Amino acid sequence: MIYDALIGPFAEFDFMRRALVGAAALALSGAPLGVFLILRRMALTGDAMAHAILPGAALGYLVAGLSLPAMTLGGLAAGFTVALAAGVVARFTALREDASLAGFYLLSLALGVVIVSVRGSNVDLLHVLFGSVLALDDATLLLLACIASVTLIVLAIGYRALALETLDPGFLASVSGAGAPTQLVFLGLVVLNLVAGFHALGTLLAVGLMMLPAAAGRLWSADITVMTLIAVGIGLASSYLGLLLSYHYGLPAGPAIILVAGVLHLVSLVFGRAGGLIRHVSTGRHLEA
Amino acid sequence: MSAAITFRDLTLGYDRHPAVHHLSGQVDGGALLAVCGPNGAGKSTLLKGIAGALKPLDGAVKLESCRPRDIAYLPQAAEIDRSFPINVFDLVALGAWRSAGLFGGLGRKARERTFEAIAAVGLTGFEDRAIGTLSGGQMQRALFARVLLQDAPIILLDEPFNAIDQRTVADLVDLISRWHGEKRTVLAVLHDLELVRKHFPQTLLMARESIAWGDTTQVLSAENLLSARRMAEAFDRQAHECERAA
């Protein structure tokens, strides 16, 4: 009975196992990136860049159909172009990064819609918008796993630079020239993971496994390591529970995963020990010193 | 005395408008130099130029026997994100950058020096506190400890005593005197002329250009201070290109 509810679907069906592995890969690398996006006050940047990927992927789709390489390359190219352009604009003009990013993603989103409307069939476009976590083939799964591995390795190597670039960019600039490359590499990782998320969850929900677990993690701990671990845990739990929900109640899998992450986020908002609502309301009497 | 920093007809500024205009001169190695002048006189800009954070519009800053990265620079409003989850110990330990760098470990010796630096600024017991919980003065002490740990031959301090209580100022001035005793070159932007007269043997009084530079007692004369005030804040949107010979 319990076996049937919790483990059976994955033991029985190959596509469920693949979905679980794919979503787990996304959660593993996306959550730590999300933590840094939040610490850098770039939570909305991830969302903006996810939209920026759409026209590239759509272009790849129009040229080569539902082909993994074409859509991946298209998405990467569009994502990197927007990230780079936004970075360059922020560095060398009066506009700050958020404003310049908003400009570029609107531009590329509009461009994407135009491309699609010129020559598009709506059926496959659903796949582009909402992903296909229940239909991950070997190649896609391998891509997700590679992106997760590369992300975690690069994060481990560049951790200090990234943390310092977030904490005190002026100091980093005064002791090392690593500031600009760090920013670029970080944005590159975000784009990579958004493209990975795009394959499984679609362009609209790609940021979900990045931002929701990270935001929830922030509410449980003020320690960056603990925060990250909790975020990864919430991401993994959301993947598992979301897939179960989708299997038992016939819900669309991608949205179900994000929905669970969202609910866990709401729970954290209320109960979180480091800044949740309850904590905020019931602080107890003040201390002696 | 050999020069530690040489300005060669240095012009620094923003958007082609000079904030430091045709400055020439040299800072001796081991000097303890106060940089004074009215608001908008280009003091902070000068420090940025020395630290390499701002490229000269004209002329050059020349550092003898050290790279810009070996300079310890404490900006006026450090761009620190105080909500970032890091504790005092880790913040101060960043000063060990030269030995640890991007990838190296801290090491036992650097850990000990970090504790010493924290003790030297009177923050012992605060090691585990998140920097977001510090007061402004405590934060400034922590940043001084980081500078201390950087062990730099040249130290630049931009209005380091803003909004700091008197006892803390006294403690930090002691620290600066100690650096001076260790033959480090220290430049500090300061507004408190009493403090400058008491603790800084040399002063550069500037108002975009150098008004006077030398022994503090002579530089901070009533006459010089008056002309500094007159020359400041002459921003002209329609300014012509400067044709003074370089």
mmCIF file of all heavy atoms in Angstrom, chain A residues 93-122:
data_model
loop_
_atom_site.group_PDB
_atom_site.id
_atom_site.type_symbol
_atom_site.label_atom_id
_atom_site.label_comp_id
_atom_site.label_asym_id
_atom_site.label_seq_id
_atom_site.Cartn_x
_atom_site.Cartn_y
_atom_site.Cartn_z
ATOM 1 N N THR A 93 27.500 51.864 -19.368
ATOM 2 C CA THR A 93 26.547 52.952 -19.538
ATOM 3 C C THR A 93 25.944 53.304 -18.185
ATOM 4 O O THR A 93 26.269 52.692 -17.178
ATOM 5 C CB THR A 93 25.396 52.565 -20.504
ATOM 6 O OG1 THR A 93 24.489 51.700 -19.821
ATOM 7 C CG2 THR A 93 25.921 51.888 -21.743
ATOM 8 N N ALA A 94 25.053 54.293 -18.196
ATOM 9 C CA ALA A 94 24.486 54.764 -16.930
ATOM 10 C C ALA A 94 23.411 53.814 -16.398
ATOM 11 O O ALA A 94 23.034 53.902 -15.249
ATOM 12 C CB ALA A 94 23.897 56.165 -17.127
ATOM 13 N N LEU A 95 22.915 52.899 -17.250
ATOM 14 C CA LEU A 95 21.872 51.987 -16.793
ATOM 15 C C LEU A 95 22.447 50.927 -15.881
ATOM 16 O O LEU A 95 23.526 50.412 -16.117
ATOM 17 C CB LEU A 95 21.209 51.288 -17.996
ATOM 18 C CG LEU A 95 20.075 52.019 -18.699
ATOM 19 C CD1 LEU A 95 19.391 51.073 -19.662
ATOM 20 C CD2 LEU A 95 19.065 52.539 -17.693
ATOM 21 N N ARG A 96 21.708 50.554 -14.847
ATOM 22 C CA ARG A 96 22.146 49.478 -13.977
ATOM 23 C C ARG A 96 21.700 48.148 -14.556
ATOM 24 O O ARG A 96 20.920 48.084 -15.492
ATOM 25 C CB ARG A 96 21.583 49.668 -12.572
ATOM 26 C CG ARG A 96 22.047 50.965 -11.955
ATOM 27 C CD ARG A 96 21.562 51.060 -10.542
ATOM 28 N NE ARG A 96 22.171 50.030 -9.722
ATOM 29 C CZ ARG A 96 22.821 50.274 -8.596
ATOM 30 N NH1 ARG A 96 22.927 51.494 -8.161
ATOM 31 N NH2 ARG A 96 23.325 49.293 -7.899
ATOM 32 N N GLU A 97 22.211 47.052 -13.939
ATOM 33 C CA GLU A 97 22.025 45.742 -14.545
ATOM 34 C C GLU A 97 20.547 45.363 -14.677
ATOM 35 O O GLU A 97 20.134 44.817 -15.698
ATOM 36 C CB GLU A 97 22.758 44.676 -13.728
ATOM 37 C CG GLU A 97 22.846 43.357 -14.462
ATOM 38 C CD GLU A 97 24.121 42.618 -14.133
ATOM 39 O OE1 GLU A 97 24.880 43.108 -13.293
ATOM 40 O OE2 GLU A 97 24.348 41.570 -14.728
ATOM 41 N N ASP A 98 19.741 45.654 -13.659
ATOM 42 C CA ASP A 98 18.337 45.239 -13.733
ATOM 43 C C ASP A 98 17.618 45.950 -14.867
ATOM 44 O O ASP A 98 16.896 45.329 -15.643
ATOM 45 C CB ASP A 98 17.629 45.478 -12.394
ATOM 46 C CG ASP A 98 17.714 46.928 -11.942
ATOM 47 O OD1 ASP A 98 18.597 47.643 -12.444
ATOM 48 O OD2 ASP A 98 16.901 47.341 -11.118
ATOM 49 N N ALA A 99 17.871 47.244 -15.003
ATOM 50 C CA ALA A 99 17.206 48.009 -16.050
ATOM 51 C C ALA A 99 17.639 47.524 -17.429
ATOM 52 O O ALA A 99 16.815 47.334 -18.333
ATOM 53 C CB ALA A 99 17.508 49.488 -15.887
ATOM 54 N N SER A 100 18.956 47.293 -17.600
ATOM 55 C CA SER A 100 19.426 46.893 -18.915
ATOM 56 C C SER A 100 18.924 45.491 -19.251
ATOM 57 O O SER A 100 18.569 45.190 -20.378
ATOM 58 C CB SER A 100 20.949 46.951 -18.975
ATOM 59 O OG SER A 100 21.508 46.023 -18.098
ATOM 60 N N LEU A 101 18.860 44.622 -18.240
ATOM 61 C CA LEU A 101 18.384 43.268 -18.467
ATOM 62 C C LEU A 101 16.917 43.289 -18.889
ATOM 63 O O LEU A 101 16.505 42.601 -19.826
ATOM 64 C CB LEU A 101 18.545 42.436 -17.201
ATOM 65 C CG LEU A 101 18.524 40.936 -17.418
ATOM 66 C CD1 LEU A 101 19.736 40.505 -18.204
ATOM 67 C CD2 LEU A 101 18.491 40.221 -16.090
ATOM 68 N N ALA A 102 16.130 44.098 -18.200
ATOM 69 C CA ALA A 102 14.717 44.219 -18.551
ATOM 70 C C ALA A 102 14.587 44.629 -20.007
ATOM 71 O O ALA A 102 13.781 44.067 -20.764
ATOM 72 C CB ALA A 102 14.039 45.234 -17.636
ATOM 73 N N GLY A 103 15.424 45.585 -20.409
ATOM 74 C CA GLY A 103 15.384 46.032 -21.794
ATOM 75 C C GLY A 103 15.654 44.902 -22.769
ATOM 76 O O GLY A 103 14.913 44.670 -23.718
ATOM 77 N N PHE A 104 16.719 44.139 -22.485
ATOM 78 C CA PHE A 104 17.118 43.106 -23.436
ATOM 79 C C PHE A 104 16.155 41.929 -23.465
ATOM 80 O O PHE A 104 15.918 41.348 -24.515
ATOM 81 C CB PHE A 104 18.527 42.620 -23.128
ATOM 82 C CG PHE A 104 19.574 43.526 -23.645
ATOM 83 C CD1 PHE A 104 20.325 44.311 -22.798
ATOM 84 C CD2 PHE A 104 19.797 43.633 -25.014
ATOM 85 C CE1 PHE A 104 21.278 45.175 -23.276
ATOM 86 C CE2 PHE A 104 20.739 44.493 -25.508
ATOM 87 C CZ PHE A 104 21.484 45.266 -24.641
ATOM 88 N N TYR A 105 15.609 41.572 -22.302
ATOM 89 C CA TYR A 105 14.754 40.388 -22.353
ATOM 90 C C TYR A 105 13.418 40.706 -23.009
ATOM 91 O O TYR A 105 12.866 39.874 -23.718
ATOM 92 C CB TYR A 105 14.634 39.738 -20.980
ATOM 93 C CG TYR A 105 13.374 39.995 -20.194
ATOM 94 C CD1 TYR A 105 12.175 39.351 -20.532
ATOM 95 C CD2 TYR A 105 13.395 40.821 -19.096
ATOM 96 C CE1 TYR A 105 11.032 39.585 -19.790
ATOM 97 C CE2 TYR A 105 12.257 41.060 -18.360
ATOM 98 C CZ TYR A 105 11.076 40.444 -18.707
ATOM 99 O OH TYR A 105 9.955 40.669 -17.979
ATOM 100 N N LEU A 106 12.949 41.930 -22.824
ATOM 101 C CA LEU A 106 11.730 42.323 -23.536
ATOM 102 C C LEU A 106 11.967 42.285 -25.040
ATOM 103 O O LEU A 106 11.149 41.764 -25.800
ATOM 104 C CB LEU A 106 11.303 43.728 -23.098
ATOM 105 C CG LEU A 106 10.652 43.771 -21.721
ATOM 106 C CD1 LEU A 106 10.531 45.192 -21.213
ATOM 107 C CD2 LEU A 106 9.274 43.111 -21.799
ATOM 108 N N LEU A 107 13.118 42.814 -25.425
ATOM 109 C CA LEU A 107 13.474 42.821 -26.840
ATOM 110 C C LEU A 107 13.489 41.404 -27.398
ATOM 111 O O LEU A 107 12.887 41.111 -28.439
ATOM 112 C CB LEU A 107 14.851 43.472 -27.007
ATOM 113 C CG LEU A 107 15.336 43.713 -28.430
ATOM 114 C CD1 LEU A 107 14.531 44.843 -29.054
ATOM 115 C CD2 LEU A 107 16.815 44.080 -28.418
ATOM 116 N N SER A 108 14.170 40.487 -26.668
ATOM 117 C CA SER A 108 14.318 39.145 -27.225
ATOM 118 C C SER A 108 13.008 38.368 -27.130
ATOM 119 O O SER A 108 12.725 37.507 -27.966
ATOM 120 C CB SER A 108 15.448 38.390 -26.528
ATOM 121 O OG SER A 108 15.130 38.161 -25.194
ATOM 122 N N LEU A 109 12.194 38.662 -26.132
ATOM 123 C CA LEU A 109 10.895 38.004 -26.025
ATOM 124 C C LEU A 109 10.010 38.404 -27.208
ATOM 125 O O LEU A 109 9.398 37.552 -27.868
ATOM 126 C CB LEU A 109 10.221 38.385 -24.702
ATOM 127 C CG LEU A 109 9.032 37.546 -24.267
ATOM 128 C CD1 LEU A 109 9.424 36.090 -24.134
ATOM 129 C CD2 LEU A 109 8.479 38.048 -22.947
ATOM 130 N N ALA A 110 9.990 39.702 -27.495
ATOM 131 C CA ALA A 110 9.204 40.190 -28.626
ATOM 132 C C ALA A 110 9.698 39.554 -29.918
ATOM 133 O O ALA A 110 8.918 39.082 -30.750
ATOM 134 C CB ALA A 110 9.298 41.709 -28.701
ATOM 135 N N LEU A 111 11.019 39.510 -30.044
ATOM 136 C CA LEU A 111 11.612 38.905 -31.233
ATOM 137 C C LEU A 111 11.176 37.452 -31.359
ATOM 138 O O LEU A 111 10.802 36.985 -32.444
ATOM 139 C CB LEU A 111 13.134 38.990 -31.136
ATOM 140 C CG LEU A 111 13.939 38.525 -32.338
ATOM 141 C CD1 LEU A 111 13.757 39.494 -33.484
ATOM 142 C CD2 LEU A 111 15.416 38.405 -31.978
ATOM 143 N N GLY A 112 11.189 36.741 -30.231
ATOM 144 C CA GLY A 112 10.804 35.330 -30.231
ATOM 145 C C GLY A 112 9.360 35.144 -30.674
ATOM 146 O O GLY A 112 9.054 34.283 -31.508
ATOM 147 N N VAL A 113 8.486 35.976 -30.143
ATOM 148 C CA VAL A 113 7.070 35.864 -30.505
ATOM 149 C C VAL A 113 6.881 36.121 -31.998
ATOM 150 O O VAL A 113 6.120 35.423 -32.682
ATOM 151 C CB VAL A 113 6.223 36.845 -29.667
ATOM 152 C CG1 VAL A 113 4.787 36.873 -30.176
ATOM 153 C CG2 VAL A 113 6.252 36.430 -28.210
ATOM 154 N N VAL A 114 7.599 37.095 -32.516
ATOM 155 C CA VAL A 114 7.506 37.387 -33.953
ATOM 156 C C VAL A 114 7.965 36.181 -34.768
ATOM 157 O O VAL A 114 7.276 35.742 -35.705
ATOM 158 C CB VAL A 114 8.351 38.631 -34.303
ATOM 159 C CG1 VAL A 114 8.485 38.767 -35.812
ATOM 160 C CG2 VAL A 114 7.702 39.873 -33.711
ATOM 161 N N ILE A 115 9.120 35.624 -34.392
ATOM 162 C CA ILE A 115 9.640 34.454 -35.116
ATOM 163 C C ILE A 115 8.616 33.330 -35.121
ATOM 164 O O ILE A 115 8.322 32.731 -36.160
ATOM 165 C CB ILE A 115 10.942 33.947 -34.462
ATOM 166 C CG1 ILE A 115 12.053 34.974 -34.628
ATOM 167 C CG2 ILE A 115 11.364 32.610 -35.084
ATOM 168 C CD1 ILE A 115 13.280 34.655 -33.816
ATOM 169 N N VAL A 116 8.061 33.062 -33.937
ATOM 170 C CA VAL A 116 7.120 31.950 -33.810
ATOM 171 C C VAL A 116 5.878 32.190 -34.658
ATOM 172 O O VAL A 116 5.387 31.290 -35.352
ATOM 173 C CB VAL A 116 6.722 31.754 -32.325
ATOM 174 C CG1 VAL A 116 5.562 30.772 -32.212
ATOM 175 C CG2 VAL A 116 7.914 31.258 -31.535
ATOM 176 N N SER A 117 5.376 33.418 -34.641
ATOM 177 C CA SER A 117 4.127 33.686 -35.347
ATOM 178 C C SER A 117 4.318 33.660 -36.849
ATOM 179 O O SER A 117 3.367 33.457 -37.602
ATOM 180 C CB SER A 117 3.547 35.034 -34.907
ATOM 181 O OG SER A 117 4.410 36.061 -35.311
ATOM 182 N N VAL A 118 5.553 33.891 -37.294
ATOM 183 C CA VAL A 118 5.813 33.828 -38.730
ATOM 184 C C VAL A 118 5.612 32.400 -39.239
ATOM 185 O O VAL A 118 5.045 32.172 -40.297
ATOM 186 C CB VAL A 118 7.248 34.300 -39.052
ATOM 187 C CG1 VAL A 118 7.658 33.883 -40.451
ATOM 188 C CG2 VAL A 118 7.336 35.814 -38.922
ATOM 189 N N ARG A 119 6.053 31.434 -38.445
ATOM 190 C CA ARG A 119 6.040 30.081 -38.987
ATOM 191 C C ARG A 119 5.955 29.078 -37.849
ATOM 192 O O ARG A 119 6.907 28.380 -37.535
ATOM 193 C CB ARG A 119 7.342 29.874 -39.769
ATOM 194 C CG ARG A 119 7.318 28.706 -40.737
ATOM 195 C CD ARG A 119 8.718 28.495 -41.262
ATOM 196 N NE ARG A 119 9.126 27.118 -41.063
ATOM 197 C CZ ARG A 119 10.373 26.682 -41.199
ATOM 198 N NH1 ARG A 119 11.325 27.527 -41.485
ATOM 199 N NH2 ARG A 119 10.656 25.425 -41.015
ATOM 200 N N GLY A 120 4.826 29.007 -37.166
ATOM 201 C CA GLY A 120 4.771 28.124 -36.007
ATOM 202 C C GLY A 120 3.556 27.233 -35.984
ATOM 203 O O GLY A 120 2.493 27.581 -36.491
ATOM 204 N N SER A 121 3.691 26.015 -35.416
ATOM 205 C CA SER A 121 2.539 25.177 -35.134
ATOM 206 C C SER A 121 2.361 25.137 -33.620
ATOM 207 O O SER A 121 3.309 24.908 -32.886
ATOM 208 C CB SER A 121 2.752 23.762 -35.680
ATOM 209 O OG SER A 121 3.435 22.982 -34.728
ATOM 210 N N ASN A 122 1.160 25.374 -33.178
ATOM 211 C CA ASN A 122 0.933 25.595 -31.752
ATOM 212 C C ASN A 122 1.119 24.355 -30.884
ATOM 213 O O ASN A 122 1.378 24.455 -29.692
ATOM 214 C CB ASN A 122 -0.470 26.157 -31.531
ATOM 215 C CG ASN A 122 -0.563 27.578 -32.045
ATOM 216 O OD1 ASN A 122 0.454 28.257 -32.145
ATOM 217 N ND2 ASN A 122 -1.753 28.016 -32.394
#
